[in-house]
Amino acid sequence: MPLTIRAPTIDELSSLSDLCFRSKAVWGYDEEFMEACRGELSFEPRDLALTPIAVAEHNGKSIGVAQVKVVDGEADLLKLFVEPSVLRCGIGKALLVWATGVAKKLGASQLTIDADPAAAPFYRRMGAYDVGEASSGSVPGRMLPKLAMNLRPKD
């Protein structure tokens, strides 16, 4: 599937937030849980200025999105979501390659991921490894797998 990876426009942030919501919902969460996550799954205009964001596009349609935050050489994958109808077609991998490339370019030696438990196997297949647990930003008391990917070869 030929993909274009590009920066989003401010006008599409709402539709990209909706894409994140649809993608998260594939794991079978109930409505109450999904509403609790809505803020964390949404993009705000300030995100464009503060963090690198990429849209995966196929035939002019947005089918995936990723967001990375790099501060003082530490990179965090904030979002990586794929349209449910095209899961397991390589879009997630392409976005993760983009995210690691951006993080490296901005000086990070490691990318950390607070993964949805259902998405953690994908990240592990891509080379991430477990480093502990992280508290959910949306659901009090919920713990998530915390993963990391090395971005620089070991000396």
Side-chain angles (χ1 to χ4, degrees):
M1 173 181 298
L3 278 184
T4 301
I5 305 279
R6 62 168 178 81
T9 65
I10 196 164
D11 295 337
E12 64 188 326
L13 293 181
S14 176
S15 66
L16 292 173
S17 298
D18 292 345
L19 185 158
C20 293
F21 200 78
R22 284 190 303 277
S23 182
K24 181 84 167 178
V26 301
W27 304 120
Y29 295 118
D30 64 28
E31 193 175 324
E32 182 181 355
F33 178 92
M34 289 301 298
E35 281 307 316
C37 296
R38 190 174 291 278
E40 211 172 2
L41 297 173
S42 298
F43 289 100
E44 301 295 330
R46 71 177 184 278
D47 292 333
L48 290 174
L50 298 175
T51 58
I53 301 170
V55 176
E57 186 178 85
H58 175 67
N59 289 339
K61 182 177 181 339
S62 298
I63 56 172
V65 64
Q67 179 185 25
V68 178
K69 179 180 172 186
V70 180
V71 177
D72 298 330
E74 295 290 319
D76 291 302
L77 183 65
L78 300 181
K79 293 180 182 69
L80 193 157
F81 291 97
V82 174
E83 193 64 62
S85 63
V86 291
L87 282 172
R88 296 174 182 82
C89 293
I91 293 104
K93 182 177 182 178
L95 286 167
L96 188 59
V97 166
W98 170 85
T100 57
V102 166
K104 277 188 215 178
K105 211 177 289 179
L106 294 175
S109 59
Q110 188 177 70
L111 177 72
T112 59
I113 306 158
D114 295 350
D116 185 285
F122 161 76
Y123 294 113
R124 291 181 187 115
R125 283 194 308 276
M126 296 297 112
Y129 53 92
D130 290 82
V131 292
E133 289 186 321
S135 297
S136 166
S138 300
V139 180
R142 182 174 193 242
M143 299 304 289
L144 304 173
K146 186 174 198 72
L147 308 172
M149 293 182 82
N150 291 326
L151 304 179
R152 305 245 183 260
K154 296 280 185 201
D155 292 332

